[in-house]
Amino acid sequence: MNTSQFISKNLDKTIEKVTFTWQTPSNIALVKYWGKSNPQIPKNTSISFTLNNCHTTTSIEFEKTSKNTVVDFELFFEGKKKDDFKPKIAEFFKRIEKYCPYIFEYKMIINSENSFPHSSGIASSASGMSAIAMCLMSLEKELNPNITDEFINKKASFLARLGSGSASRSIEGPLVVWGNHPEIKGSSDLFGTKFPYEIHPVFENYCDTILLVDKGEKQVSSTVGHNLMHNHPYAENRFKQANENLTKLSKILQNGEIKEFINLVESEALTLHAMMLTSNPYFILMKPNTLEVINKIWQYREENNSNICFTLDAGANVHVLYPNTEKTEIELFIKNNLAKYCQKNQYICDNAGLGAKPQ
Ligand code: DP6
Protein backbone atom coordinates (compact mmCIF):
# COMPACT_ATOMS: atom_id res chain seq x y z
CA MET A 1 0.00 0.00 0.00
CA ASN A 2 1.25 3.40 -0.92
CA THR A 3 1.66 5.25 2.36
CA SER A 4 4.75 7.18 1.22
CA GLN A 5 2.51 9.72 -0.54
CA PHE A 6 1.55 10.89 2.98
CA ILE A 7 5.08 11.67 4.18
CA SER A 8 5.23 15.44 4.15
CA LYS A 9 7.83 17.04 1.93
CA ASN A 10 8.86 20.49 0.69
CA LEU A 11 8.13 22.10 4.03
CA ASP A 12 10.05 25.19 3.03
CA LYS A 13 8.34 27.94 4.94
CA THR A 14 9.03 28.85 8.54
CA ILE A 15 6.10 29.67 10.79
CA GLU A 16 6.81 30.98 14.29
CA LYS A 17 3.38 30.93 15.88
CA VAL A 18 -0.05 30.18 14.52
CA THR A 19 -3.43 28.86 15.71
CA PHE A 20 -5.96 26.86 13.69
CA THR A 21 -9.50 25.91 14.71
CA TRP A 22 -11.65 23.20 13.12
CA GLN A 23 -15.07 21.80 13.81
CA THR A 24 -15.50 18.19 12.77
CA PRO A 25 -18.51 15.95 13.24
CA SER A 26 -19.22 12.51 14.57
CA ASN A 27 -20.62 9.91 12.15
CA ILE A 28 -22.97 6.95 12.29
CA ALA A 29 -22.07 3.79 10.40
CA LEU A 30 -24.68 2.03 8.27
CA VAL A 31 -22.37 -0.88 7.42
CA LYS A 32 -20.22 -1.33 10.50
CA TYR A 33 -16.47 -1.50 11.02
CA TRP A 34 -15.80 -4.15 13.68
CA GLY A 35 -12.47 -5.94 13.41
CA LYS A 36 -9.10 -4.58 12.32
CA SER A 37 -5.48 -5.50 11.78
CA ASN A 38 -2.35 -3.40 12.29
CA PRO A 39 -1.91 -0.47 11.66
CA GLN A 40 -5.59 0.43 11.86
CA ILE A 41 -6.54 -1.51 8.71
CA PRO A 42 -10.21 -2.51 8.64
CA LYS A 43 -11.22 -6.13 8.11
CA ASN A 44 -14.18 -4.97 6.01
CA THR A 45 -15.40 -1.86 4.25
CA SER A 46 -17.76 0.42 6.16
CA ILE A 47 -19.96 3.39 5.25
CA SER A 48 -21.46 6.12 7.42
CA PHE A 49 -23.59 9.19 7.40
CA THR A 50 -21.56 12.16 8.58
CA LEU A 51 -23.48 13.99 11.30
CA ASN A 52 -24.04 17.71 11.60
CA ASN A 53 -24.89 18.82 15.13
CA CYS A 54 -22.74 16.34 17.04
CA HIS A 55 -19.27 17.71 16.63
CA THR A 56 -15.97 18.59 18.27
CA THR A 57 -14.35 22.01 17.98
CA THR A 58 -10.59 21.94 18.42
CA SER A 59 -8.02 24.66 18.17
CA ILE A 60 -4.31 24.04 18.23
CA GLU A 61 -1.77 26.77 18.92
CA PHE A 62 1.56 25.86 17.34
CA GLU A 63 4.66 27.60 18.61
CA LYS A 64 8.04 26.89 17.08
CA THR A 65 10.61 25.40 19.45
CA SER A 66 13.98 23.78 19.00
CA LYS A 67 13.63 20.26 17.66
CA ASN A 68 12.27 17.93 20.36
CA THR A 69 12.75 14.20 20.66
CA VAL A 70 9.24 13.74 22.04
CA VAL A 71 6.15 15.57 20.89
CA ASP A 72 5.48 18.47 23.24
CA PHE A 73 1.80 19.23 23.82
CA GLU A 74 -0.74 20.31 26.40
CA LEU A 75 -4.37 19.34 26.34
CA PHE A 76 -7.43 21.24 27.56
CA PHE A 77 -10.94 19.85 27.32
CA GLU A 78 -13.82 22.26 27.85
CA GLY A 79 -11.40 24.75 29.34
CA LYS A 80 -9.81 22.36 31.84
CA LYS A 81 -6.45 20.64 31.67
CA LYS A 82 -7.07 17.01 30.82
CA ASP A 83 -3.99 14.94 31.54
CA ASP A 84 -5.95 11.67 31.55
CA PHE A 85 -6.69 12.11 27.81
CA LYS A 86 -3.00 12.68 27.07
CA PRO A 87 -1.80 9.07 26.65
CA LYS A 88 -4.31 8.45 23.83
CA ILE A 89 -3.24 11.61 22.00
CA ALA A 90 0.47 10.85 22.64
CA GLU A 91 -0.08 7.41 21.08
CA PHE A 92 -1.77 9.09 18.12
CA PHE A 93 1.20 11.43 17.64
CA LYS A 94 3.54 8.42 17.75
CA ARG A 95 1.58 6.76 14.96
CA ILE A 96 1.63 9.83 12.74
CA GLU A 97 5.13 11.25 13.43
CA LYS A 98 6.56 9.59 10.33
CA TYR A 99 4.01 11.39 8.16
CA CYS A 100 4.12 14.74 9.97
CA PRO A 101 7.71 15.13 11.27
CA TYR A 102 7.08 18.86 11.84
CA ILE A 103 5.17 18.00 15.04
CA PHE A 104 8.57 17.66 16.76
CA GLU A 105 9.34 21.30 15.97
CA TYR A 106 6.34 22.87 17.66
CA LYS A 107 4.90 23.14 21.11
CA MET A 108 1.18 22.46 20.70
CA ILE A 109 -1.59 23.69 22.95
CA ILE A 110 -4.76 21.81 22.14
CA ASN A 111 -8.16 23.12 23.23
CA SER A 112 -11.15 20.95 22.55
CA GLU A 113 -14.88 20.90 23.25
CA ASN A 114 -17.84 18.80 22.17
CA SER A 115 -21.31 20.00 21.18
CA PHE A 116 -22.89 16.94 22.75
CA PRO A 117 -23.10 16.42 26.51
CA HIS A 118 -20.00 15.01 28.16
CA SER A 119 -20.24 11.22 28.76
CA SER A 120 -23.47 10.98 26.78
CA GLY A 121 -22.30 7.63 25.44
CA ILE A 122 -21.71 9.28 22.06
CA ALA A 123 -18.27 8.29 20.86
CA SER A 124 -16.13 11.39 20.63
CA SER A 125 -13.06 9.71 19.18
CA ALA A 126 -14.24 10.17 15.56
CA SER A 127 -14.90 13.89 15.88
CA GLY A 128 -11.97 14.43 18.26
CA MET A 129 -9.29 12.76 16.15
CA SER A 130 -10.52 14.22 12.86
CA ALA A 131 -10.43 17.74 14.34
CA ILE A 132 -6.79 17.34 15.40
CA ALA A 133 -5.96 15.93 11.96
CA MET A 134 -7.49 18.95 10.23
CA CYS A 135 -5.55 21.38 12.47
CA LEU A 136 -2.31 19.55 11.60
CA MET A 137 -3.14 19.73 7.91
CA SER A 138 -3.75 23.47 8.20
CA LEU A 139 -0.23 23.83 9.58
CA GLU A 140 1.12 21.60 6.82
CA LYS A 141 -0.58 23.81 4.22
CA GLU A 142 1.15 26.87 5.72
CA LEU A 143 4.49 25.08 5.57
CA ASN A 144 3.89 23.85 2.02
CA PRO A 145 1.30 26.02 0.24
CA ASN A 146 1.42 23.77 -2.83
CA ILE A 147 -0.68 20.97 -1.35
CA THR A 148 -4.23 20.79 -2.76
CA ASP A 149 -7.52 20.70 -0.85
CA GLU A 150 -8.09 17.20 -2.18
CA PHE A 151 -4.78 16.04 -0.71
CA ILE A 152 -5.54 17.82 2.57
CA ASN A 153 -8.81 15.90 2.99
CA LYS A 154 -7.22 12.61 2.00
CA LYS A 155 -4.26 12.96 4.33
CA ALA A 156 -6.44 14.30 7.18
CA SER A 157 -8.58 11.18 6.86
CA PHE A 158 -5.43 9.02 6.69
CA LEU A 159 -4.09 10.62 9.90
CA ALA A 160 -7.46 10.52 11.69
CA ARG A 161 -7.72 6.81 10.89
CA LEU A 162 -4.49 6.20 12.77
CA GLY A 163 -6.10 7.81 15.83
CA SER A 164 -9.44 6.01 15.53
CA GLY A 165 -10.69 4.01 12.55
CA SER A 166 -14.12 5.59 12.36
CA ALA A 167 -12.53 9.07 12.49
CA SER A 168 -11.39 8.54 8.89
CA ARG A 169 -15.07 8.94 7.95
CA SER A 170 -15.52 12.33 9.67
CA ILE A 171 -13.70 14.65 7.28
CA GLU A 172 -16.24 14.79 4.46
CA GLY A 173 -19.95 14.04 4.02
CA PRO A 174 -22.80 13.25 3.74
CA LEU A 175 -21.76 9.62 3.10
CA VAL A 176 -18.23 8.29 3.46
CA VAL A 177 -16.80 4.86 2.67
CA TRP A 178 -13.69 3.53 4.40
CA GLY A 179 -12.00 0.34 3.26
CA ASN A 180 -11.03 -0.93 -0.13
CA HIS A 181 -14.06 -2.17 -2.06
CA PRO A 182 -14.12 -3.25 -5.71
CA GLU A 183 -17.38 -1.43 -6.43
CA ILE A 184 -16.55 1.88 -4.77
CA LYS A 185 -14.32 3.94 -7.00
CA GLY A 186 -11.33 5.43 -5.18
CA SER A 187 -11.98 3.51 -1.94
CA SER A 188 -9.02 2.59 0.24
CA ASP A 189 -8.11 0.90 3.52
CA LEU A 190 -5.95 3.92 4.29
CA PHE A 191 -8.51 6.74 4.26
CA GLY A 192 -12.20 7.51 3.86
CA THR A 193 -13.66 8.50 0.49
CA LYS A 194 -16.82 10.45 -0.15
CA PHE A 195 -19.46 8.10 -1.61
CA PRO A 196 -18.70 8.66 -5.29
CA TYR A 197 -22.15 8.12 -6.87
CA GLU A 198 -25.29 10.22 -7.03
CA ILE A 199 -27.55 9.68 -4.01
CA HIS A 200 -31.32 9.28 -4.48
CA PRO A 201 -33.25 12.32 -3.13
CA VAL A 202 -34.97 10.21 -0.45
CA PHE A 203 -31.58 9.91 1.31
CA GLU A 204 -30.80 13.64 1.14
CA ASN A 205 -30.67 15.42 4.49
CA TYR A 206 -31.41 12.12 6.19
CA CYS A 207 -32.35 12.52 9.85
CA ASP A 208 -30.76 10.82 12.86
CA THR A 209 -32.19 11.36 16.31
CA ILE A 210 -29.88 9.93 18.96
CA LEU A 211 -31.73 8.58 21.97
CA LEU A 212 -29.50 8.79 25.04
CA VAL A 213 -30.63 5.52 26.59
CA ASP A 214 -27.52 5.08 28.68
CA LYS A 215 -24.98 7.79 29.23
CA GLY A 216 -22.57 5.73 31.31
CA GLU A 217 -19.04 4.77 30.40
CA LYS A 218 -18.95 1.76 28.10
CA GLN A 219 -17.95 -1.45 29.93
CA VAL A 220 -15.99 -2.58 26.87
CA SER A 221 -14.01 -0.14 24.73
CA SER A 222 -14.13 -0.36 20.92
CA THR A 223 -10.46 -1.31 20.91
CA VAL A 224 -11.12 -4.36 23.07
CA GLY A 225 -14.19 -5.20 20.98
CA HIS A 226 -12.23 -5.03 17.72
CA ASN A 227 -9.59 -7.34 19.21
CA LEU A 228 -12.22 -9.92 20.10
CA MET A 229 -12.85 -10.37 16.38
CA HIS A 230 -9.49 -12.19 16.19
CA ASN A 231 -10.30 -15.90 16.56
CA HIS A 232 -14.01 -15.11 16.65
CA PRO A 233 -15.90 -18.15 15.29
CA TYR A 234 -18.04 -16.04 12.93
CA ALA A 235 -15.47 -13.39 11.97
CA GLU A 236 -14.70 -14.45 8.40
CA ASN A 237 -18.37 -14.74 7.48
CA ARG A 238 -19.07 -11.41 9.11
CA PHE A 239 -16.37 -9.61 7.10
CA LYS A 240 -17.67 -11.19 3.90
CA GLN A 241 -21.25 -10.24 4.74
CA ALA A 242 -20.29 -6.62 5.48
CA ASN A 243 -18.57 -6.29 2.11
CA GLU A 244 -21.62 -7.78 0.37
CA ASN A 245 -23.88 -5.43 2.29
CA LEU A 246 -21.80 -2.55 1.05
CA THR A 247 -22.39 -3.63 -2.54
CA LYS A 248 -26.14 -3.81 -1.84
CA LEU A 249 -26.24 -0.51 0.03
CA SER A 250 -24.38 1.28 -2.74
CA LYS A 251 -27.19 0.32 -5.15
CA ILE A 252 -29.92 1.14 -2.62
CA LEU A 253 -28.48 4.61 -2.02
CA GLN A 254 -28.58 5.26 -5.74
CA ASN A 255 -32.00 3.76 -6.56
CA GLY A 256 -33.84 4.90 -3.41
CA GLU A 257 -35.19 1.47 -2.35
CA ILE A 258 -35.92 2.61 1.18
CA LYS A 259 -37.51 -0.64 2.43
CA GLU A 260 -34.30 -2.47 1.50
CA PHE A 261 -32.30 0.28 3.21
CA ILE A 262 -34.25 -0.26 6.45
CA ASN A 263 -33.75 -4.01 6.32
CA LEU A 264 -30.03 -3.79 5.67
CA VAL A 265 -29.27 -1.06 8.21
CA GLU A 266 -31.16 -2.73 11.06
CA SER A 267 -29.60 -6.08 10.24
CA GLU A 268 -26.11 -4.48 10.36
CA ALA A 269 -26.83 -3.00 13.81
CA LEU A 270 -28.06 -6.30 15.21
CA THR A 271 -25.18 -8.22 13.61
CA LEU A 272 -22.66 -5.88 15.25
CA HIS A 273 -24.19 -6.66 18.63
CA ALA A 274 -24.44 -10.35 17.74
CA MET A 275 -20.65 -10.32 17.31
CA MET A 276 -20.34 -9.00 20.86
CA LEU A 277 -22.77 -11.59 22.20
CA THR A 278 -20.82 -14.40 20.56
CA SER A 279 -17.24 -13.34 21.31
CA ASN A 280 -15.20 -14.78 24.14
CA PRO A 281 -15.32 -13.07 26.58
CA TYR A 282 -18.92 -12.20 25.61
CA PHE A 283 -20.63 -8.95 26.53
CA ILE A 284 -23.90 -7.08 26.13
CA LEU A 285 -23.90 -3.34 25.44
CA MET A 286 -27.66 -3.02 24.89
CA LYS A 287 -29.83 -2.14 27.89
CA PRO A 288 -33.45 -3.12 28.50
CA ASN A 289 -34.57 0.27 27.16
CA THR A 290 -32.61 -0.30 23.95
CA LEU A 291 -34.93 -3.24 23.25
CA GLU A 292 -38.02 -1.33 24.36
CA VAL A 293 -37.19 1.38 21.85
CA ILE A 294 -36.51 -1.08 19.03
CA ASN A 295 -39.88 -2.74 19.59
CA LYS A 296 -41.67 0.60 19.65
CA ILE A 297 -39.97 1.62 16.40
CA TRP A 298 -41.08 -1.63 14.74
CA GLN A 299 -44.63 -1.19 15.98
CA TYR A 300 -44.82 2.42 14.80
CA ARG A 301 -43.40 1.49 11.39
CA GLU A 302 -45.97 -1.26 10.96
CA GLU A 303 -48.97 0.78 12.08
CA ASN A 304 -48.10 3.94 10.15
CA ASN A 305 -46.43 2.53 7.06
CA SER A 306 -43.49 4.69 8.10
CA ASN A 307 -39.87 4.55 6.94
CA ILE A 308 -38.42 4.95 10.43
CA CYS A 309 -35.60 2.56 11.35
CA PHE A 310 -32.79 2.28 13.88
CA THR A 311 -29.11 1.62 14.09
CA LEU A 312 -26.76 1.15 17.05
CA ASP A 313 -23.11 1.85 17.62
CA ALA A 314 -21.02 0.14 20.27
CA GLY A 315 -23.32 1.14 23.12
CA ALA A 316 -26.90 1.23 24.38
CA ASN A 317 -27.97 4.45 22.65
CA VAL A 318 -30.31 4.14 19.68
CA HIS A 319 -29.90 6.16 16.48
CA VAL A 320 -33.34 6.65 14.95
CA LEU A 321 -32.99 7.16 11.19
CA TYR A 322 -35.70 8.58 8.91
CA PRO A 323 -36.19 10.55 5.69
CA ASN A 324 -36.47 14.31 5.98
CA THR A 325 -39.97 14.16 4.45
CA GLU A 326 -41.25 12.27 7.53
CA LYS A 327 -39.54 14.54 10.05
CA THR A 328 -42.61 16.24 11.57
CA GLU A 329 -44.55 13.12 12.50
CA ILE A 330 -41.52 11.07 13.56
CA GLU A 331 -40.16 13.83 15.81
CA LEU A 332 -43.58 13.93 17.47
CA PHE A 333 -43.53 10.14 17.91
CA ILE A 334 -40.06 10.37 19.47
CA LYS A 335 -41.10 13.14 21.84
CA ASN A 336 -44.32 11.43 22.93
CA ASN A 337 -43.32 7.77 22.88
CA LEU A 338 -39.54 7.27 22.92
CA ALA A 339 -38.14 10.10 25.07
CA LYS A 340 -39.29 8.29 28.21
CA TYR A 341 -36.77 5.51 27.56
CA CYS A 342 -33.89 8.02 27.57
CA GLN A 343 -31.94 9.08 30.62
CA LYS A 344 -33.47 12.35 31.79
CA ASN A 345 -35.63 12.20 28.60
CA GLN A 346 -32.61 13.41 26.64
CA TYR A 347 -32.14 12.96 22.90
CA ILE A 348 -30.29 14.85 20.16
CA CYS A 349 -31.85 15.71 16.80
CA ASP A 350 -29.29 15.53 14.04
CA ASN A 351 -29.07 15.02 10.29
CA ALA A 352 -26.52 14.15 7.64
CA GLY A 353 -23.85 16.84 7.27
CA LEU A 354 -20.95 17.76 5.05
CA GLY A 355 -17.92 17.23 7.27
CA ALA A 356 -15.10 19.38 8.62
CA LYS A 357 -15.55 23.15 8.82
CA PRO A 358 -12.81 25.71 9.49
CA GLN A 359 -13.70 28.15 12.30
C1 DP6 B 1 -19.19 0.14 16.37
O1 DP6 B 1 -13.43 3.68 15.36
O2 DP6 B 1 -14.12 3.60 17.78
O3 DP6 B 1 -18.79 2.45 15.97
O4 DP6 B 1 -10.34 2.23 15.51
O5 DP6 B 1 -10.29 1.24 17.80
O6 DP6 B 1 -10.75 3.69 17.52
P1 DP6 B 1 -10.88 2.30 16.92
O7 DP6 B 1 -12.43 1.95 16.90
P2 DP6 B 1 -13.67 2.87 16.56
O8 DP6 B 1 -14.77 1.72 16.22
C2 DP6 B 1 -16.05 2.07 15.80
C3 DP6 B 1 -16.92 0.90 15.83
C4 DP6 B 1 -18.39 1.15 15.55
C5 DP6 B 1 -18.73 0.93 14.09
C6 DP6 B 1 -18.34 1.99 13.12
O9 DP6 B 1 -18.31 3.18 13.45
O10 DP6 B 1 -18.14 1.61 11.94
Side-chain angles (χ1 to χ4, degrees):
M1 257 177 289
N2 179 12
T3 53
S4 58
Q5 60 174 311
F6 296 115
I7 300 173
S8 56
K9 34 195 166 297
N10 306 323
L11 305 175
D12 300 330
K13 289 203 26 194
T14 309
I15 309 288
E16 286 305 326
K17 194 172 174 178
V18 67
T19 302
F20 298 104
T21 306
W22 280 89
Q23 184 186 89
T24 59
S26 183
N27 65 68
I28 180 66
L30 303 172
V31 173
K32 310 287 181 181
Y33 147 58
W34 198 244
K36 62 177 167 184
S37 52
N38 270 334
Q40 294 283 97
I41 299 298
K43 290 284 194 182
N44 63 261
T45 310
S46 57
I47 183 168
S48 49
F49 270 129
T50 306
L51 296 181
N52 195 32
N53 300 331
C54 291
H55 51 70
T56 298
T57 304
T58 295
S59 63
I60 305 187
E61 180 192 289
F62 297 93
E63 189 167 9
K64 187 106 175 139
T65 55
S66 52
K67 213 169 168 142
N68 297 313
T69 47
V70 286
V71 179
D72 183 7
F73 71 100
E74 273 179 47
L75 189 65
F76 295 84
F77 183 69
E78 282 162 5
K80 294 193 196 81
K81 211 161 186 229
K82 262 285 180 200
D83 285 341
D84 44 332
F85 286 5
K86 270 186 108 176
K88 189 156 189 206
I89 308 294
E91 169 68 24
F92 171 58
F93 286 138
K94 265 224 98 31
R95 289 188 193 166
I96 67 162
E97 63 186 34
K98 178 171 164 205
Y99 306 103
C100 307
Y102 48 83
I103 57 177
F104 289 108
E105 292 170 31
Y106 289 87
K107 157 124 189 143
M108 291 181 269
I109 299 178
I110 307 172
N111 266 289
S112 204
E113 59 188 39
N114 292 337
S115 65
F116 40 92
H118 188 45
S119 49
S120 56
I122 300 181
S124 56
S125 63
S127 51
M129 291 298 179
S130 52
I132 296 178
M134 286 308 299
C135 291
L136 292 173
M137 289 314 296
S138 289
L139 175 66
E140 187 165 323
K141 169 92 182 166
E142 288 284 313
L143 298 169
N144 175 9
N146 293 327
I147 56 176
T148 63
D149 287 347
E150 196 193 335
F151 177 79
I152 289 174
N153 280 348
K154 207 190 235 194
K155 181 166 172 184
S157 174
F158 171 85
L159 298 175
R161 179 198 110 241
L162 291 167
S164 177
S166 55
S168 67
R169 301 187 311 239
S170 274
I171 303 292
E172 293 181 279
L175 280 160
V176 177
V177 176
W178 169 45
N180 184 24
H181 193 283
E183 280 162 59
I184 306 288
K185 208 168 147 261
S187 61
S188 168
D189 284 350
L190 299 178
F191 47 82
T193 328
K194 204 172 137 179
F195 183 68
Y197 311 113
E198 202 172 326
I199 303 165
H200 189 279
V202 74
F203 296 116
E204 270 168 26
N205 268 324
Y206 220 69
C207 300
D208 177 5
T209 298
I210 308 160
L211 306 179
L212 304 180
V213 169
D214 185 54
K215 306 199 291 173
E217 279 281 302
K218 280 191 265 176
Q219 313 110 288
V220 181
S221 72
S222 293
T223 309
V224 172
H226 286 291
N227 277 337
L228 291 172
M229 288 302 277
H230 298 298
N231 303 319
H232 189 295
Y234 307 133
E236 286 315 313
N237 281 334
R238 163 60 197 154
F239 302 143
K240 189 165 165 273
Q241 176 202 44
N243 287 330
E244 287 166 3
N245 277 347
L246 212 119
T247 303
K248 288 184 195 154
L249 190 57
S250 169
K251 294 199 180 81
I252 292 168
L253 290 168
Q254 294 172 71
N255 66 24
E257 287 289 356
I258 195 156
K259 297 289 176 209
E260 289 180 28
F261 174 86
I262 291 169
N263 180 273
L264 190 148
V265 165
E266 290 190 345
S267 167
E268 271 291 317
L270 294 177
T271 305
L272 168 72
H273 284 257
M275 291 301 108
M276 303 172 189
L277 297 173
T278 51
S279 63
N280 197 357
Y282 42 80
F283 57 101
I284 305 177
L285 294 184
M286 290 185 279
K287 296 283 182 199
N289 278 350
T290 311
L291 297 181
E292 292 285 354
V293 165
I294 291 174
N295 280 306
K296 289 281 179 234
I297 288 174
W298 284 347
Q299 192 186 349
Y300 178 87
R301 187 161 75 218
E302 180 81 31
E303 288 171 0
N304 298 280
N305 195 20
S306 162
N307 288 308
I308 190 171
C309 73
F310 73 87
T311 189
L312 306 166
D313 58 15
N317 294 338
V318 181
H319 288 248
V320 187
L321 301 176
Y322 46 97
N324 201 266
T325 48
E326 296 181 31
K327 193 178 160 101
T328 315
E329 57 271 30
I330 292 180
E331 283 191 350
L332 204 62
F333 163 65
I334 293 172
K335 183 164 166 261
N336 292 336
N337 298 283
L338 299 184
K340 58 173 176 261
Y341 299 108
C342 302
Q343 281 189 358
K344 296 195 191 142
N345 291 309
Q346 277 185 319
Y347 58 89
I348 300 171
C349 294
D350 210 337
N351 56 279
L354 295 178
K357 294 181 193 152
Q359 297 298 292

